Structure formats: C-alpha cells, structure tokens
Amino acid sequence: MTTYARTEPTDQEPDIRARPPLVREFLLVAGLFLAYKLGRRAANGHVEEAFRNAGNVWYLERALHLPGEGAVQGLLLHSQPLIQAANTYYAAVHFPATALFLIWLYWRRPLHYLWSRRVLAVLTGGALVLHLVFPLAPPRMLPAAGLVDTGQIYGPTVYGATPATDTMANQFAAMPSLHVGWAVMVAVGLIAATRSRWRWLWLLHPAITLLVVVATANHYWLDAIVVVAMLAVALAVLRMPDKRMDAGARTGMSARRDAMRRDAMRRDAMRRDAACTDAGAPTYVAASPPARTPAERAVPVQAPAEISVRAPADTGAGR
C-alpha cells in the first residue's frame, strides 16, 4: 500500500481574492486621512475651552495619583541628543510606520489588512468626534504643569510657534492620543498576522511612542489611557480574522500549485509501484481448494466396520 505524505506551506500565502483593488483602497485611505485633517482644523479655535479642559485633566491625574509627566521629561532633558531623538520619533515615525503597516498587510495578509483598516477608521473617527466635543491643550502649553516645549526649543517640531494661528495642525486636540492609538494597533495587527516567536517585540513601538509623547509634553497620561480604551472597544466590535482563514482560503496560483504538487506525487508513486512489478516483485495469490472428482463426490465416506472377535468352539479334544 502506498502512503501519500501531505505537505503544507511553512508560511501563510495571501488570499488573492480577499485583496481589494489597489486604486480603490488608495483613494479610500487618502479620503479618510483628508477628512480627518479637515475635521481637526474645524475643531481649532476653542482656546479658552481647551485650556479649561487641560486644567481639569491635570488635576484629575493628580487625584488619580498618576505619575507626573515632568518626571518622564526630566529623564530625557539631561541629554540633548536624546530629547532630539524623541522629537524626531514623534514627528517622523507616526504616519510612515502606520502606512508601511497597512501596505505590508495589503500585500501579505489581505484579510488582516481589511480588519486593521476598519479598526483604524473606527478609532480615528471616534478620536475626531472627541476632538470636536472636548478640545484640550497639551501639557506643554499648561503653565501649571511646568513642562518644556521640547519641539520648539530643541527641534524638530511639527507645530507652529503660535497654536491659535497654526494652519498646519490643530494643537488643541490632545485627547485622545492617536500617536499611541495607532502605534498600539500596529503592534496588535502585526502580532495577529504573523507567526514568528519574535513578533511580540512589536510592542516596543507603542511603548516607545508612549514615552515620547509624554516626555515631549505633547500628551497627558490620560490621553493614552482613553485611546487604548477606545481601541479595545473597536477590537471587541470588529472581529479579528482567524489565522487559519488565510491558510485555508488560498486560491489562484497558490491553490493550483498545491494541486499540481499533489498530482505529481501521486504519479511518482504510481510509477514506482509499476517499476517494482516489472522488476519481478513477488506476487501473492490466494490458494484455492483442490477440485473433487465426480466419484469422490458420489461415494460417501463411511466409518470402518467394527471387527468382531469370536472365541474358538469347544470340541472337547483336550479332555
């Protein structure tokens, strides 16, 4: 009997049919980003309300006994290259890291890409609503915090020197921190979409991001806590695709390649069996009982007759 070994790919292959059209996705993501930027600009200008909310958040953190943002900033201010590296990370990593994350998922894990894109869209939309209803000045603007605007002093910075007239960004949108929210989603998405034992190192990205946004005085601790809570709700509502879906949903060239590989293995096994038969491999035939002649079938088999022994007759000769 021939046994066929089942082979499985060592890594997941992308489901081609699950991958949405590239142009449509580009326009969709670009449209969402533009809507978010316009929404942040629409929320600008609430200066008095933003500072009033900042004072409330600052005193709430003290009531909750959260660590002071100043203690984290003090660790970096001892080294100018270190604080400049933190400013650069804040300015240059946020958008590129998220874009590369989505691009990689689009080509390698289409199902996870659709899931991650939906989660990011929901999270960003919720953050925009909160920016509109709860404008918040960052801790670098709050006199009671006593923090340094590291971006303006040491550089680089992505914000204008005068927040009220900044035409590039809304500086009164600290709550929640999308820097932290997007970083956490990047780590969660890559951990869910990959199998490497080193994938948990992606958690360093949100950890470094949290350290950076607090040390540069761009966000409060509560900004990060709120965005993580919002992300948890989005992840609970939007179901994560099972890893087996990518492995079981392979189609197109990958599925045909697997079928051709299995057919080739079967043909090789059949040729090996035929070669063994032609080379004189022993053939086992079940033995049949010998045929019986008509005479043997007609004559019944009887048991041998019992032999009787008679005693000799008494003639009286010996008397």
Side-chain angles (χ1 to χ4, degrees), residues 35-51 53 125-137 163-164 166 169-176:
Y36 169 71
K37 295 296 289 184
L38 292 177
R40 282 177 61 100
R41 294 291 302 123
N44 205 351
H46 303 279
V47 178
E48 294 183 2
E49 184 180 1
F51 277 96
N53 292 334
L128 179 58
V129 172
L130 194 54
H131 292 162
L132 292 171
V133 300
F134 191 79
L136 180 66
D166 190 355
N170 176 17
Q171 298 192 39
F172 300 113
M175 174 80 74

PDB file of all heavy atoms in Angstrom, residues 35-51 53 125-137 163-164 166 169-176:
ATOM      1  N   ALA A  35     -10.318  63.720   5.386  1.00  0.00           N
ATOM      2  CA  ALA A  35     -11.453  64.064   6.238  1.00  0.00           C
ATOM      3  C   ALA A  35     -11.017  64.278   7.683  1.00  0.00           C
ATOM      4  O   ALA A  35     -11.515  65.183   8.376  1.00  0.00           O
ATOM      5  CB  ALA A  35     -12.504  62.959   6.162  1.00  0.00           C
ATOM      6  N   TYR A  36     -10.063  63.479   8.127  1.00  0.00           N
ATOM      7  CA  TYR A  36      -9.575  63.639   9.496  1.00  0.00           C
ATOM      8  C   TYR A  36      -8.842  64.979   9.662  1.00  0.00           C
ATOM      9  O   TYR A  36      -9.044  65.687  10.651  1.00  0.00           O
ATOM     10  CB  TYR A  36      -8.654  62.481   9.855  1.00  0.00           C
ATOM     11  CG  TYR A  36      -7.910  62.686  11.139  1.00  0.00           C
ATOM     12  CD1 TYR A  36      -8.578  62.643  12.365  1.00  0.00           C
ATOM     13  CD2 TYR A  36      -6.548  62.947  11.145  1.00  0.00           C
ATOM     14  CE1 TYR A  36      -7.908  62.847  13.552  1.00  0.00           C
ATOM     15  CE2 TYR A  36      -5.866  63.151  12.332  1.00  0.00           C
ATOM     16  CZ  TYR A  36      -6.548  63.101  13.528  1.00  0.00           C
ATOM     17  OH  TYR A  36      -5.884  63.304  14.705  1.00  0.00           O
ATOM     18  N   LYS A  37      -7.993  65.327   8.682  1.00  0.00           N
ATOM     19  CA  LYS A  37      -7.264  66.583   8.786  1.00  0.00           C
ATOM     20  C   LYS A  37      -8.209  67.785   8.755  1.00  0.00           C
ATOM     21  O   LYS A  37      -8.042  68.738   9.528  1.00  0.00           O
ATOM     22  CB  LYS A  37      -6.241  66.682   7.647  1.00  0.00           C
ATOM     23  CG  LYS A  37      -5.129  65.650   7.705  1.00  0.00           C
ATOM     24  CD  LYS A  37      -4.264  65.820   8.932  1.00  0.00           C
ATOM     25  CE  LYS A  37      -3.404  67.067   8.852  1.00  0.00           C
ATOM     26  NZ  LYS A  37      -2.477  67.179  10.014  1.00  0.00           N
ATOM     27  N   LEU A  38      -9.218  67.710   7.885  1.00  0.00           N
ATOM     28  CA  LEU A  38     -10.186  68.809   7.821  1.00  0.00           C
ATOM     29  C   LEU A  38     -11.002  68.884   9.107  1.00  0.00           C
ATOM     30  O   LEU A  38     -11.337  69.972   9.577  1.00  0.00           O
ATOM     31  CB  LEU A  38     -11.096  68.625   6.607  1.00  0.00           C
ATOM     32  CG  LEU A  38     -10.418  68.785   5.237  1.00  0.00           C
ATOM     33  CD1 LEU A  38     -11.420  68.504   4.120  1.00  0.00           C
ATOM     34  CD2 LEU A  38      -9.811  70.179   5.079  1.00  0.00           C
ATOM     35  N   GLY A  39     -11.318  67.718   9.676  1.00  0.00           N
ATOM     36  CA  GLY A  39     -12.060  67.707  10.926  1.00  0.00           C
ATOM     37  C   GLY A  39     -11.266  68.300  12.070  1.00  0.00           C
ATOM     38  O   GLY A  39     -11.807  69.040  12.907  1.00  0.00           O
ATOM     39  N   ARG A  40      -9.970  68.006  12.120  1.00  0.00           N
ATOM     40  CA  ARG A  40      -9.118  68.604  13.158  1.00  0.00           C
ATOM     41  C   ARG A  40      -9.025  70.116  12.990  1.00  0.00           C
ATOM     42  O   ARG A  40      -9.024  70.867  13.968  1.00  0.00           O
ATOM     43  CB  ARG A  40      -7.721  67.977  13.100  1.00  0.00           C
ATOM     44  CG  ARG A  40      -7.642  66.605  13.738  1.00  0.00           C
ATOM     45  CD  ARG A  40      -6.252  66.036  13.577  1.00  0.00           C
ATOM     46  NE  ARG A  40      -5.249  66.868  14.226  1.00  0.00           N
ATOM     47  CZ  ARG A  40      -4.719  66.604  15.429  1.00  0.00           C
ATOM     48  NH1 ARG A  40      -5.131  65.552  16.106  1.00  0.00           N
ATOM     49  NH2 ARG A  40      -3.804  67.395  15.948  1.00  0.00           N
ATOM     50  N   ARG A  41      -8.961  70.574  11.739  1.00  0.00           N
ATOM     51  CA  ARG A  41      -8.917  72.006  11.505  1.00  0.00           C
ATOM     52  C   ARG A  41     -10.230  72.669  11.925  1.00  0.00           C
ATOM     53  O   ARG A  41     -10.238  73.790  12.433  1.00  0.00           O
ATOM     54  CB  ARG A  41      -8.635  72.294  10.022  1.00  0.00           C
ATOM     55  CG  ARG A  41      -7.266  71.867   9.540  1.00  0.00           C
ATOM     56  CD  ARG A  41      -6.144  72.699  10.137  1.00  0.00           C
ATOM     57  NE  ARG A  41      -6.324  74.115   9.823  1.00  0.00           N
ATOM     58  CZ  ARG A  41      -6.401  75.080  10.709  1.00  0.00           C
ATOM     59  NH1 ARG A  41      -6.319  74.798  12.000  1.00  0.00           N
ATOM     60  NH2 ARG A  41      -6.544  76.339  10.347  1.00  0.00           N
ATOM     61  N   ALA A  42     -11.346  71.945  11.719  1.00  0.00           N
ATOM     62  CA  ALA A  42     -12.638  72.510  12.109  1.00  0.00           C
ATOM     63  C   ALA A  42     -12.760  72.641  13.621  1.00  0.00           C
ATOM     64  O   ALA A  42     -13.509  73.488  14.120  1.00  0.00           O
ATOM     65  CB  ALA A  42     -13.770  71.641  11.567  1.00  0.00           C
ATOM     66  N   ALA A  43     -12.021  71.805  14.351  1.00  0.00           N
ATOM     67  CA  ALA A  43     -12.079  71.851  15.814  1.00  0.00           C
ATOM     68  C   ALA A  43     -11.148  72.895  16.405  1.00  0.00           C
ATOM     69  O   ALA A  43     -11.109  73.076  17.621  1.00  0.00           O
ATOM     70  CB  ALA A  43     -11.734  70.470  16.380  1.00  0.00           C
ATOM     71  N   ASN A  44     -10.386  73.575  15.572  1.00  0.00           N
ATOM     72  CA  ASN A  44      -9.434  74.556  16.065  1.00  0.00           C
ATOM     73  C   ASN A  44     -10.148  75.843  16.491  1.00  0.00           C
ATOM     74  O   ASN A  44     -11.244  76.145  16.040  1.00  0.00           O
ATOM     75  CB  ASN A  44      -8.407  74.873  14.968  1.00  0.00           C
ATOM     76  CG  ASN A  44      -7.096  75.374  15.547  1.00  0.00           C
ATOM     77  OD1 ASN A  44      -7.000  75.642  16.740  1.00  0.00           O
ATOM     78  ND2 ASN A  44      -6.098  75.506  14.697  1.00  0.00           N
ATOM     79  N   GLY A  45      -9.489  76.594  17.373  1.00  0.00           N
ATOM     80  CA  GLY A  45     -10.020  77.896  17.747  1.00  0.00           C
ATOM     81  C   GLY A  45     -10.668  77.958  19.107  1.00  0.00           C
ATOM     82  O   GLY A  45     -10.935  79.054  19.607  1.00  0.00           O
ATOM     83  N   HIS A  46     -10.939  76.818  19.747  1.00  0.00           N
ATOM     84  CA  HIS A  46     -11.585  76.817  21.067  1.00  0.00           C
ATOM     85  C   HIS A  46     -10.501  76.949  22.144  1.00  0.00           C
ATOM     86  O   HIS A  46     -10.270  76.026  22.941  1.00  0.00           O
ATOM     87  CB  HIS A  46     -12.400  75.547  21.252  1.00  0.00           C
ATOM     88  CG  HIS A  46     -13.436  75.328  20.192  1.00  0.00           C
ATOM     89  ND1 HIS A  46     -14.662  75.950  20.211  1.00  0.00           N
ATOM     90  CD2 HIS A  46     -13.410  74.576  19.064  1.00  0.00           C
ATOM     91  CE1 HIS A  46     -15.365  75.571  19.151  1.00  0.00           C
ATOM     92  NE2 HIS A  46     -14.632  74.740  18.428  1.00  0.00           N
ATOM     93  N   VAL A  47      -9.856  78.092  22.199  1.00  0.00           N
ATOM     94  CA  VAL A  47      -8.686  78.263  23.050  1.00  0.00           C
ATOM     95  C   VAL A  47      -9.065  78.240  24.527  1.00  0.00           C
ATOM     96  O   VAL A  47      -8.485  77.489  25.321  1.00  0.00           O
ATOM     97  CB  VAL A  47      -7.962  79.582  22.699  1.00  0.00           C
ATOM     98  CG1 VAL A  47      -6.758  79.787  23.612  1.00  0.00           C
ATOM     99  CG2 VAL A  47      -7.541  79.588  21.239  1.00  0.00           C
ATOM    100  N   GLU A  48     -10.038  79.032  24.925  1.00  0.00           N
ATOM    101  CA  GLU A  48     -10.415  79.107  26.335  1.00  0.00           C
ATOM    102  C   GLU A  48     -10.911  77.761  26.844  1.00  0.00           C
ATOM    103  O   GLU A  48     -10.527  77.313  27.937  1.00  0.00           O
ATOM    104  CB  GLU A  48     -11.481  80.182  26.532  1.00  0.00           C
ATOM    105  CG  GLU A  48     -10.992  81.604  26.254  1.00  0.00           C
ATOM    106  CD  GLU A  48     -12.070  82.634  26.528  1.00  0.00           C
ATOM    107  OE1 GLU A  48     -13.169  82.232  26.975  1.00  0.00           O
ATOM    108  OE2 GLU A  48     -11.825  83.842  26.308  1.00  0.00           O
ATOM    109  N   GLU A  49     -11.764  77.125  26.073  1.00  0.00           N
ATOM    110  CA  GLU A  49     -12.284  75.816  26.487  1.00  0.00           C
ATOM    111  C   GLU A  49     -11.166  74.782  26.558  1.00  0.00           C
ATOM    112  O   GLU A  49     -11.151  73.923  27.454  1.00  0.00           O
ATOM    113  CB  GLU A  49     -13.371  75.368  25.510  1.00  0.00           C
ATOM    114  CG  GLU A  49     -14.043  74.058  25.907  1.00  0.00           C
ATOM    115  CD  GLU A  49     -15.119  73.644  24.911  1.00  0.00           C
ATOM    116  OE1 GLU A  49     -15.317  74.377  23.914  1.00  0.00           O
ATOM    117  OE2 GLU A  49     -15.744  72.587  25.135  1.00  0.00           O
ATOM    118  N   ALA A  50     -10.208  74.852  25.616  1.00  0.00           N
ATOM    119  CA  ALA A  50      -9.109  73.891  25.604  1.00  0.00           C
ATOM    120  C   ALA A  50      -8.238  74.032  26.848  1.00  0.00           C
ATOM    121  O   ALA A  50      -7.817  73.024  27.439  1.00  0.00           O
ATOM    122  CB  ALA A  50      -8.270  74.085  24.337  1.00  0.00           C
ATOM    123  N   PHE A  51      -7.968  75.240  27.283  1.00  0.00           N
ATOM    124  CA  PHE A  51      -7.154  75.436  28.486  1.00  0.00           C
ATOM    125  C   PHE A  51      -7.927  75.074  29.747  1.00  0.00           C
ATOM    126  O   PHE A  51      -7.342  74.582  30.719  1.00  0.00           O
ATOM    127  CB  PHE A  51      -6.644  76.876  28.546  1.00  0.00           C
ATOM    128  CG  PHE A  51      -5.410  77.103  27.721  1.00  0.00           C
ATOM    129  CD1 PHE A  51      -5.499  77.614  26.431  1.00  0.00           C
ATOM    130  CD2 PHE A  51      -4.167  76.789  28.229  1.00  0.00           C
ATOM    131  CE1 PHE A  51      -4.356  77.822  25.673  1.00  0.00           C
ATOM    132  CE2 PHE A  51      -3.010  76.996  27.475  1.00  0.00           C
ATOM    133  CZ  PHE A  51      -3.105  77.514  26.192  1.00  0.00           C
ATOM    134  N   ASN A  53     -10.219  72.716  29.936  1.00  0.00           N
ATOM    135  CA  ASN A  53     -10.193  71.252  29.982  1.00  0.00           C
ATOM    136  C   ASN A  53      -8.817  70.729  30.379  1.00  0.00           C
ATOM    137  O   ASN A  53      -8.709  69.701  31.075  1.00  0.00           O
ATOM    138  CB  ASN A  53     -10.590  70.678  28.622  1.00  0.00           C
ATOM    139  CG  ASN A  53     -12.042  70.923  28.282  1.00  0.00           C
ATOM    140  OD1 ASN A  53     -12.892  71.073  29.172  1.00  0.00           O
ATOM    141  ND2 ASN A  53     -12.353  70.977  26.994  1.00  0.00           N
ATOM    142  N   GLY A 125     -12.130  57.918  13.586  1.00  0.00           N
ATOM    143  CA  GLY A 125     -13.406  58.637  13.596  1.00  0.00           C
ATOM    144  C   GLY A 125     -13.861  58.976  14.998  1.00  0.00           C
ATOM    145  O   GLY A 125     -14.333  60.093  15.262  1.00  0.00           O
ATOM    146  N   GLY A 126     -13.717  58.016  15.924  1.00  0.00           N
ATOM    147  CA  GLY A 126     -14.069  58.298  17.314  1.00  0.00           C
ATOM    148  C   GLY A 126     -13.193  59.368  17.928  1.00  0.00           C
ATOM    149  O   GLY A 126     -13.665  60.222  18.704  1.00  0.00           O
ATOM    150  N   ALA A 127     -11.894  59.353  17.591  1.00  0.00           N
ATOM    151  CA  ALA A 127     -10.990  60.385  18.102  1.00  0.00           C
ATOM    152  C   ALA A 127     -11.364  61.759  17.567  1.00  0.00           C
ATOM    153  O   ALA A 127     -11.303  62.757  18.300  1.00  0.00           O
ATOM    154  CB  ALA A 127      -9.548  60.041  17.721  1.00  0.00           C
ATOM    155  N   LEU A 128     -11.773  61.825  16.298  1.00  0.00           N
ATOM    156  CA  LEU A 128     -12.166  63.112  15.725  1.00  0.00           C
ATOM    157  C   LEU A 128     -13.392  63.683  16.430  1.00  0.00           C
ATOM    158  O   LEU A 128     -13.458  64.892  16.713  1.00  0.00           O
ATOM    159  CB  LEU A 128     -12.448  62.941  14.233  1.00  0.00           C
ATOM    160  CG  LEU A 128     -12.908  64.189  13.474  1.00  0.00           C
ATOM    161  CD1 LEU A 128     -11.877  65.302  13.598  1.00  0.00           C
ATOM    162  CD2 LEU A 128     -13.169  63.857  12.011  1.00  0.00           C
ATOM    163  N   VAL A 129     -14.350  62.818  16.752  1.00  0.00           N
ATOM    164  CA  VAL A 129     -15.527  63.280  17.486  1.00  0.00           C
ATOM    165  C   VAL A 129     -15.121  63.826  18.853  1.00  0.00           C
ATOM    166  O   VAL A 129     -15.607  64.884  19.298  1.00  0.00           O
ATOM    167  CB  VAL A 129     -16.546  62.132  17.630  1.00  0.00           C
ATOM    168  CG1 VAL A 129     -17.696  62.539  18.552  1.00  0.00           C
ATOM    169  CG2 VAL A 129     -17.084  61.726  16.266  1.00  0.00           C
ATOM    170  N   LEU A 130     -14.216  63.145  19.526  1.00  0.00           N
ATOM    171  CA  LEU A 130     -13.778  63.604  20.842  1.00  0.00           C
ATOM    172  C   LEU A 130     -12.993  64.909  20.741  1.00  0.00           C
ATOM    173  O   LEU A 130     -13.084  65.770  21.630  1.00  0.00           O
ATOM    174  CB  LEU A 130     -12.927  62.526  21.517  1.00  0.00           C
ATOM    175  CG  LEU A 130     -12.655  62.695  23.013  1.00  0.00           C
ATOM    176  CD1 LEU A 130     -13.957  62.859  23.790  1.00  0.00           C
ATOM    177  CD2 LEU A 130     -11.871  61.504  23.550  1.00  0.00           C
ATOM    178  N   HIS A 131     -12.229  65.060  19.656  1.00  0.00           N
ATOM    179  CA  HIS A 131     -11.527  66.334  19.458  1.00  0.00           C
ATOM    180  C   HIS A 131     -12.505  67.495  19.301  1.00  0.00           C
ATOM    181  O   HIS A 131     -12.234  68.607  19.749  1.00  0.00           O
ATOM    182  CB  HIS A 131     -10.637  66.253  18.210  1.00  0.00           C
ATOM    183  CG  HIS A 131      -9.488  65.315  18.355  1.00  0.00           C
ATOM    184  ND1 HIS A 131      -8.779  64.814  17.280  1.00  0.00           N
ATOM    185  CD2 HIS A 131      -8.909  64.762  19.465  1.00  0.00           C
ATOM    186  CE1 HIS A 131      -7.824  64.018  17.713  1.00  0.00           C
ATOM    187  NE2 HIS A 131      -7.885  63.971  19.036  1.00  0.00           N
ATOM    188  N   LEU A 132     -13.643  67.210  18.665  1.00  0.00           N
ATOM    189  CA  LEU A 132     -14.626  68.269  18.444  1.00  0.00           C
ATOM    190  C   LEU A 132     -15.355  68.646  19.734  1.00  0.00           C
ATOM    191  O   LEU A 132     -15.602  69.828  19.984  1.00  0.00           O
ATOM    192  CB  LEU A 132     -15.639  67.823  17.380  1.00  0.00           C
ATOM    193  CG  LEU A 132     -15.102  67.674  15.943  1.00  0.00           C
ATOM    194  CD1 LEU A 132     -16.149  67.017  15.050  1.00  0.00           C
ATOM    195  CD2 LEU A 132     -14.713  69.038  15.375  1.00  0.00           C
ATOM    196  N   VAL A 133     -15.690  67.645  20.527  1.00  0.00           N
ATOM    197  CA  VAL A 133     -16.506  67.919  21.715  1.00  0.00           C
ATOM    198  C   VAL A 133     -15.657  68.199  22.952  1.00  0.00           C
ATOM    199  O   VAL A 133     -16.165  68.723  23.947  1.00  0.00           O
ATOM    200  CB  VAL A 133     -17.453  66.724  22.000  1.00  0.00           C
ATOM    201  CG1 VAL A 133     -18.379  66.480  20.820  1.00  0.00           C
ATOM    202  CG2 VAL A 133     -16.670  65.462  22.330  1.00  0.00           C
ATOM    203  N   PHE A 134     -14.380  67.850  22.914  1.00  0.00           N
ATOM    204  CA  PHE A 134     -13.532  68.045  24.094  1.00  0.00           C
ATOM    205  C   PHE A 134     -12.164  68.571  23.654  1.00  0.00           C
ATOM    206  O   PHE A 134     -11.167  67.852  23.688  1.00  0.00           O
ATOM    207  CB  PHE A 134     -13.372  66.725  24.862  1.00  0.00           C
ATOM    208  CG  PHE A 134     -12.746  66.880  26.221  1.00  0.00           C
ATOM    209  CD1 PHE A 134     -13.500  67.330  27.296  1.00  0.00           C
ATOM    210  CD2 PHE A 134     -11.402  66.576  26.432  1.00  0.00           C
ATOM    211  CE1 PHE A 134     -12.939  67.471  28.546  1.00  0.00           C
ATOM    212  CE2 PHE A 134     -10.827  66.720  27.681  1.00  0.00           C
ATOM    213  CZ  PHE A 134     -11.596  67.172  28.748  1.00  0.00           C
ATOM    214  N   PRO A 135     -12.077  69.829  23.233  1.00  0.00           N
ATOM    215  CA  PRO A 135     -10.774  70.396  22.882  1.00  0.00           C
ATOM    216  C   PRO A 135      -9.885  70.452  24.116  1.00  0.00           C
ATOM    217  O   PRO A 135     -10.342  70.758  25.221  1.00  0.00           O
ATOM    218  CB  PRO A 135     -11.129  71.795  22.365  1.00  0.00           C
ATOM    219  CG  PRO A 135     -12.453  72.116  22.970  1.00  0.00           C
ATOM    220  CD  PRO A 135     -13.181  70.811  23.082  1.00  0.00           C
ATOM    221  N   LEU A 136      -8.609  70.139  23.919  1.00  0.00           N
ATOM    222  CA  LEU A 136      -7.702  70.023  25.062  1.00  0.00           C
ATOM    223  C   LEU A 136      -6.321  70.546  24.682  1.00  0.00           C
ATOM    224  O   LEU A 136      -5.714  70.096  23.700  1.00  0.00           O
ATOM    225  CB  LEU A 136      -7.595  68.555  25.495  1.00  0.00           C
ATOM    226  CG  LEU A 136      -6.681  68.250  26.676  1.00  0.00           C
ATOM    227  CD1 LEU A 136      -7.222  68.875  27.950  1.00  0.00           C
ATOM    228  CD2 LEU A 136      -6.521  66.735  26.847  1.00  0.00           C
ATOM    229  N   ALA A 137      -5.828  71.475  25.453  1.00  0.00           N
ATOM    230  CA  ALA A 137      -4.472  71.976  25.255  1.00  0.00           C
ATOM    231  C   ALA A 137      -3.478  70.962  25.810  1.00  0.00           C
ATOM    232  O   ALA A 137      -3.691  70.391  26.877  1.00  0.00           O
ATOM    233  CB  ALA A 137      -4.300  73.316  25.961  1.00  0.00           C
ATOM    234  N   PRO A 163       0.018  78.502  18.550  1.00  0.00           N
ATOM    235  CA  PRO A 163      -1.017  77.486  18.367  1.00  0.00           C
ATOM    236  C   PRO A 163      -2.318  78.035  17.802  1.00  0.00           C
ATOM    237  O   PRO A 163      -2.968  77.374  16.980  1.00  0.00           O
ATOM    238  CB  PRO A 163      -1.218  76.927  19.774  1.00  0.00           C
ATOM    239  CG  PRO A 163       0.047  77.251  20.494  1.00  0.00           C
ATOM    240  CD  PRO A 163       0.525  78.542  19.918  1.00  0.00           C
ATOM    241  N   ALA A 164      -2.721  79.228  18.207  1.00  0.00           N
ATOM    242  CA  ALA A 164      -4.018  79.749  17.784  1.00  0.00           C
ATOM    243  C   ALA A 164      -4.058  80.032  16.289  1.00  0.00           C
ATOM    244  O   ALA A 164      -5.135  80.023  15.682  1.00  0.00           O
ATOM    245  CB  ALA A 164      -4.352  81.014  18.571  1.00  0.00           C
ATOM    246  N   ASP A 166      -1.993  78.371  14.001  1.00  0.00           N
ATOM    247  CA  ASP A 166      -1.327  77.271  13.286  1.00  0.00           C
ATOM    248  C   ASP A 166      -2.260  76.759  12.186  1.00  0.00           C
ATOM    249  O   ASP A 166      -3.344  76.230  12.465  1.00  0.00           O
ATOM    250  CB  ASP A 166      -0.977  76.147  14.258  1.00  0.00           C
ATOM    251  CG  ASP A 166      -0.081  75.094  13.626  1.00  0.00           C
ATOM    252  OD1 ASP A 166       0.186  75.195  12.405  1.00  0.00           O
ATOM    253  OD2 ASP A 166       0.360  74.183  14.340  1.00  0.00           O
ATOM    254  N   ALA A 169      -1.930  72.274  11.733  1.00  0.00           N
ATOM    255  CA  ALA A 169      -2.476  71.257  12.637  1.00  0.00           C
ATOM    256  C   ALA A 169      -3.266  71.945  13.739  1.00  0.00           C
ATOM    257  O   ALA A 169      -3.070  73.126  14.041  1.00  0.00           O
ATOM    258  CB  ALA A 169      -1.353  70.417  13.238  1.00  0.00           C
ATOM    259  N   ASN A 170      -4.158  71.158  14.336  1.00  0.00           N
ATOM    260  CA  ASN A 170      -4.911  71.628  15.491  1.00  0.00           C
ATOM    261  C   ASN A 170      -4.157  71.209  16.747  1.00  0.00           C
ATOM    262  O   ASN A 170      -4.110  70.020  17.083  1.00  0.00           O
ATOM    263  CB  ASN A 170      -6.318  71.027  15.477  1.00  0.00           C
ATOM    264  CG  ASN A 170      -7.112  71.409  16.712  1.00  0.00           C
ATOM    265  OD1 ASN A 170      -6.762  72.347  17.424  1.00  0.00           O
ATOM    266  ND2 ASN A 170      -8.193  70.697  16.961  1.00  0.00           N
ATOM    267  N   GLN A 171      -3.567  72.152  17.432  1.00  0.00           N
ATOM    268  CA  GLN A 171      -2.775  71.838  18.615  1.00  0.00           C
ATOM    269  C   GLN A 171      -3.632  71.659  19.865  1.00  0.00           C
ATOM    270  O   GLN A 171      -3.100  71.321  20.930  1.00  0.00           O
ATOM    271  CB  GLN A 171      -1.727  72.931  18.845  1.00  0.00           C
ATOM    272  CG  GLN A 171      -0.733  73.065  17.698  1.00  0.00           C
ATOM    273  CD  GLN A 171       0.447  73.938  18.059  1.00  0.00           C
ATOM    274  OE1 GLN A 171       0.968  73.901  19.183  1.00  0.00           O
ATOM    275  NE2 GLN A 171       0.896  74.752  17.110  1.00  0.00           N
ATOM    276  N   PHE A 172      -4.928  71.869  19.753  1.00  0.00           N
ATOM    277  CA  PHE A 172      -5.826  71.679  20.888  1.00  0.00           C
ATOM    278  C   PHE A 172      -6.617  70.375  20.744  1.00  0.00           C
ATOM    279  O   PHE A 172      -7.786  70.302  21.103  1.00  0.00           O
ATOM    280  CB  PHE A 172      -6.780  72.874  21.005  1.00  0.00           C
ATOM    281  CG  PHE A 172      -6.074  74.180  21.200  1.00  0.00           C
ATOM    282  CD1 PHE A 172      -6.107  75.163  20.228  1.00  0.00           C
ATOM    283  CD2 PHE A 172      -5.351  74.426  22.354  1.00  0.00           C
ATOM    284  CE1 PHE A 172      -5.456  76.372  20.415  1.00  0.00           C
ATOM    285  CE2 PHE A 172      -4.695  75.630  22.549  1.00  0.00           C
ATOM    286  CZ  PHE A 172      -4.738  76.605  21.565  1.00  0.00           C
ATOM    287  N   ALA A 173      -5.954  69.356  20.220  1.00  0.00           N
ATOM    288  CA  ALA A 173      -6.594  68.048  20.027  1.00  0.00           C
ATOM    289  C   ALA A 173      -5.747  66.968  20.693  1.00  0.00           C
ATOM    290  O   ALA A 173      -5.379  65.964  20.075  1.00  0.00           O
ATOM    291  CB  ALA A 173      -6.785  67.757  18.538  1.00  0.00           C
ATOM    292  N   ALA A 174      -5.429  67.185  21.964  1.00  0.00           N
ATOM    293  CA  ALA A 174      -4.558  66.241  22.670  1.00  0.00           C
ATOM    294  C   ALA A 174      -5.289  64.972  23.093  1.00  0.00           C
ATOM    295  O   ALA A 174      -4.679  63.911  23.204  1.00  0.00           O
ATOM    296  CB  ALA A 174      -3.951  66.925  23.895  1.00  0.00           C
ATOM    297  N   MET A 175      -6.597  65.091  23.320  1.00  0.00           N
ATOM    298  CA  MET A 175      -7.383  63.942  23.817  1.00  0.00           C
ATOM    299  C   MET A 175      -8.253  63.393  22.693  1.00  0.00           C
ATOM    300  O   MET A 175      -9.104  64.105  22.165  1.00  0.00           O
ATOM    301  CB  MET A 175      -8.260  64.388  24.988  1.00  0.00           C
ATOM    302  CG  MET A 175      -9.225  63.344  25.503  1.00  0.00           C
ATOM    303  SD  MET A 175      -8.472  62.135  26.580  1.00  0.00           S
ATOM    304  CE  MET A 175      -8.217  63.082  28.084  1.00  0.00           C
ATOM    305  N   PRO A 176      -8.082  62.112  22.316  1.00  0.00           N
ATOM    306  CA  PRO A 176      -7.073  61.149  22.764  1.00  0.00           C
ATOM    307  C   PRO A 176      -5.818  61.229  21.905  1.00  0.00           C
ATOM    308  O   PRO A 176      -5.813  61.931  20.891  1.00  0.00           O
ATOM    309  CB  PRO A 176      -7.776  59.814  22.560  1.00  0.00           C
ATOM    310  CG  PRO A 176      -8.606  60.025  21.332  1.00  0.00           C
ATOM    311  CD  PRO A 176      -9.067  61.467  21.404  1.00  0.00           C
TER     312      PRO A 176
END
